[in-house]
């Protein structure tokens, strides 16, 4: 059982991009409502349209790895807005 009263740090490392957008938002909403005082540290993909992003997507797709949340990862502002909306 995880306590709700104390300060909590949540590390999200390349999680949201592999989830459907609705599931990722539901996870963030759960975390924000479950913990009284929490900070989220996120390390997620950004800029899928630049040369590195296109190559990364191509490599993952060739391996059959789905990244359903990639459309919401345009830049850091998109991530920031997502966190604030949940």
């Amino acid at each position: 059982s995880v306590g709700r009263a104390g300060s909590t740090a949540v590390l999200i490392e390349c999680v949201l991009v592999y989830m459907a957008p609705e599931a990722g938002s539901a996870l963030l909403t759960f975390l924000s409502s479950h913990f009284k005082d929490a900070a989220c540290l996120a390390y997620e993909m950004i800029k899928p349209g630049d040369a590195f992003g296109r190559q990364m997507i191509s490599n993952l797709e060739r391996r059959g790895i789905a990244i359903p949340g990639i459309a919401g990862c345009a830049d850091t502002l998109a991530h920031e807005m997502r966190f604030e909306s949940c």
Side-chain angles (χ1 to χ4, degrees):
S1 176
V2 177
R4 295 179 179 207
S7 297
T8 304
V10 178
L11 174 62
I12 298 174
E13 183 176 357
C14 293
V15 172
L16 300 174
V17 73
Y18 291 101
M19 301 174 77
E22 312 79 46
S25 293
L27 173 62
L28 294 176
T29 298
F30 168 79
L31 292 171
S32 67
S33 66
H34 186 76
F35 296 106
K36 179 182 176 188
D37 183 26
C40 252
L41 307 168
Y43 181 80
E44 290 285 333
M45 297 176 191
I46 60 169
K47 300 184 179 180
D50 70 6
F52 180 83
R54 289 189 308 272
Q55 185 65 51
M56 175 187 60
I57 291 168
S58 175
N59 289 341
L60 291 170
E61 287 176 346
R62 276 198 311 266
R63 290 168 178 77
I65 299 171
I67 43 176
I70 195 72
C73 300
D75 53 28
T76 55
L77 181 59
H79 284 289
E80 186 179 326
M81 289 172 54
R82 183 178 195 182
F83 274 82
E84 288 177 355
S85 70
C86 295

